[in-house]
Amino acid sequence: MVSPFDEVRESVRRYCEANHDFSFDPEQPIVRLHEPTFGADEISAALECMLTTQVTMGPKVKGFEREFAGHFGWSDGIMVNSGSSANLLALATLSNPAFADRLKRGDEVIVPALSWSTTVWPVVQMGLIPVMVDLDPATLNIDPAQIESAIGPRTRAVMIVPVYGNPCDMDAITDICERHGLILIEDCCEALGATYDQRPVGQFGAVGTFSFYYSHHMTTLEGGICVTNDPEFAELGRILRAHGWIRETENRQSWIDKYPDIDPRFLFVNTGFNLRATELQGAMGSVQLPKLAGFVETRRSNAAWFRRELDKFERVLEFQDETPKGHHSWFGFPIRIRPNADFTVADICTHLNRANIETRPIIAGNIARQPAMKTIEHRVYGDLPHADHVMRNGFAFGNHQAIDEAARAYIVDHISSFMAERQIGAA
Ligand SMILES: Cc1ncc(COP(=O)(O)O)c(C=O)c1O
């Protein structure tokens, strides 16, 4: 049977075929930090939502939540409008009066100094105190020994970030959390597709978060999700996601029975936000998810190749080591300039940028050094020398699904020509 959408799908397919070639062109070389992971199928799926006018959160979002949670092995997923919102929802749920043994104002949450702004801001927004600790220079991830030393009498939780998709040392971190009775929150917004000891990241603590921002491993344009194996956390999260409303809850009837005098269509049982994703995002997510493993595989094989080719400059460049037991999903390819090098990160980035190879800092460097921290009550554990080194001497170039053999060779050729200009030979 011909579907009413067939014509639209065909037009979209033709448009994308004619206009969407994101592969590397040696005639006009440019290597961006990101290229779109979505194509005609995702665009058609989103357009169908528009054409049916079913655009606000509904069955497509619910379907995607089930697929995502089921694919990786969580009981529940709560889709939201960004990874930042997923972090906010995670912290808000854990701090809500309805949550058993909740986080309370003034409690401390240990966070990595090398993290994104909205890893830390939700901690602050819930009246909690972030405690910044340094990283392990081999993996770039939060150093478990530093976590343990930073624990104080008010420490209640640890929030970790698998940096650029490199899983953290989960044996050590879960052991510390168990011994000290700390809640573990995993901000996996740049680590989709990564595993530790064969288990997906985000599965080791109370809650995990992921981002589906345009530049990430898979996308719903903007978007994110909180994942958990705790149905009570999930139910509360759904309420807080949407106004404190019961509308999207699994146990809607039990709420209605509890408050028979209030119109069940507009029953608010808690405070909340509006962090909802749209149907367009849910529909796109369902098309993207089956492609994820292929995207991650390309990133992994490119990263292995970059490392092999660039290891000869190991005297002046430092690389990120994959965590033992970890399966890294390589959000980008981060490099640090060693202190003994006679060039700066600006020198090498300028050289690459002139050749149309985009670069960026590693996450945002040491978040403790950002001006916003001056406005925030927080604690810094130690001097954070490794996070400072990343901030001053780190950069990354793109390592995504559209980087092919020609693109990766182009990058390495330009790093090699930079080294040759400075007469830095292979080690
Ligand atoms: C570690 C980390 N947490 C949170 C976020 C926020 O995700 P979003 O951009 O979807 O809000 C990012 C963004 O890249 C991130 O890298």
Side-chain angles (χ1 to χ4, degrees):
M1 215 181 73
V2 180
S3 127
F5 299 117
D6 283 352
E7 218 175 302
V8 176
R9 283 187 162 268
E10 184 49 25
S11 301
V12 170
R13 194 190 57 73
R14 277 203 308 274
Y15 179 91
C16 291
E17 221 166 76
N19 295 286
H20 288 188
D21 182 0
F22 302 111
S23 57
F24 181 74
D25 178 1
E27 301 297 315
Q28 285 181 312
I30 170 157
V31 188
R32 294 196 180 82
L33 284 164
H34 319 286
E35 295 287 5
T37 57
F38 65 93
D41 292 342
E42 289 84 349
I43 294 169
S44 292
L47 267 178
E48 282 178 23
C49 297
M50 296 286 279
L51 294 171
T52 59
T53 73
Q54 288 173 14
V55 291
T56 58
M57 194 173 77
K60 303 265 186 212
V61 170
K62 210 169 211 156
F64 173 64
E65 288 174 340
R66 288 213 183 98
E67 285 157 18
F68 188 88
H71 181 84
F72 293 104
W74 286 282
S75 66
D76 289 274
I78 310 150
M79 191 182 189
V80 288
N81 54 19
S82 70
S84 305
S85 297
N87 283 345
L88 179 61
L89 188 62
L91 268 303
T93 306
L94 293 170
S95 308
N96 192 271
F99 191 78
D101 201 23
R102 71 182 177 111
L103 298 173
K104 298 199 182 73
R105 293 190 88 75
D107 285 348
E108 287 183 347
V109 181
I110 292 178
V111 296
L114 182 60
S115 60
W116 186 244
S117 57
T118 52
T119 308
V120 181
W121 302 169
V123 172
V124 178
Q125 283 151 350
M126 292 303 122
L128 308 165
I129 316 261
V131 179
M132 336 290 291
V133 311
D134 211 354
L135 53 92
D136 170 348
T139 63
L140 294 180
N141 286 329
I142 191 163
D143 180 347
Q146 297 277 310
I147 296 179
E148 184 132 34
S149 315
I151 293 170
R154 299 228 56 176
T155 308
R156 291 283 319 282
V158 178
M159 186 155 178
I160 59 168
V161 175
V163 170
Y164 269 46
N166 196 18
C168 299
D169 180 347
M170 297 316 299
D171 285 346
I173 291 171
T174 51
D175 175 58
I176 292 167
C177 289
E178 271 163 32
R179 280 191 288 107
H180 295 272
L182 304 176
I183 297 172
L184 177 61
I185 306 147
E186 294 176 74
D187 173 354
C188 304
C189 283
E190 49 191 63
L192 186 54
T195 61
Y196 179 85
D197 205 9
Q198 324 273 340
R199 274 170 76 190
V201 295
Q203 260 190 26
F204 293 80
V207 52
T209 60
F210 293 91
S211 164
F212 308 126
Y213 180 59
Y214 172 80
S215 61
H216 287 223
H217 296 79
M218 62 169 260
T219 190
T220 58
L221 307 182
E222 295 274 4
I225 197 165
C226 268
V227 284
T228 181
N229 283 320
D230 175 355
E232 274 173 39
F233 179 101
E235 188 75 343
L236 184 54
R238 285 187 199 101
I239 292 169
L240 302 191
R241 167 178 62 178
H243 310 260
W245 214 341
I246 61 158
R247 196 158 74 170
E248 302 299 334
T249 56
E250 298 281 313
N251 302 320
R252 198 166 163 270
Q253 193 55 47
S254 66
W255 290 112
I256 295 171
D257 294 345
K258 206 164 164 191
Y259 301 102
D261 297 340
I262 297 177
D263 184 335
R265 293 169 305 168
F266 291 91
L267 177 54
F268 296 86
V269 293
N270 209 309
T271 57
F273 311 94
N274 181 356
L275 309 174
R276 289 179 304 214
T278 64
E279 283 293 83
L280 286 71
Q281 291 169 301
M284 287 187 76
S286 293
V287 183
Q288 284 268 277
L289 186 59
K291 301 181 182 177
L292 175 68
F295 294 154
V296 170
E297 224 17 74
T298 304
R299 288 169 180 268
R300 283 183 59 77
S301 69
N302 280 340
W305 191 86
F306 285 131
R307 181 67 191 258
R308 270 198 310 277
E309 294 296 314
L310 294 174
D311 245 353
K312 56 178 176 276
F313 301 123
E314 204 251 325
R315 200 163 51 78
V316 286
L317 301 182
E318 277 174 275
F319 305 103
Q320 184 186 33
D321 290 338
E322 189 173 51
T323 302
K325 295 196 190 180
H327 182 91
H328 194 320
S329 62
W330 294 102
F331 180 62
F333 195 81
I335 294 180
R336 284 152 292 165
I337 314 298
R338 287 193 191 276
N340 63 311
D342 63 356
F343 61 88
T344 66
V345 73
D347 294 333
I348 191 164
C349 287
T350 304
H351 184 89
L352 295 176
N353 297 161
R354 277 204 196 107
N356 287 329
I357 298 165
E358 292 181 352
T359 56
R360 59 161 295 167
I362 300 173
I363 318 191
N366 184 348
I367 200 83
R369 307 296 178 228
Q370 293 287 347
M373 294 308 296
K374 294 197 183 94
T375 67
I376 288 169
E377 191 184 345
H378 67 285
R379 180 157 76 84
V380 173
Y381 181 75
D383 296 336
L384 311 178
H386 299 304
D388 280 339
H389 175 52
V390 167
M391 191 162 197
R392 277 196 298 269
N393 303 305
F395 76 100
F397 51 77
N399 173 28
H400 49 77
Q401 77 294 331
I403 298 227
D404 57 13
E405 272 181 49
R408 68 193 196 186
Y410 183 76
I411 296 170
V412 166
D413 284 352
H414 280 82
I415 293 178
S416 301
S417 65
F418 175 84
M419 297 297 175
E421 273 175 22
R422 277 164 180 70
Q423 295 172 341
I424 298 168

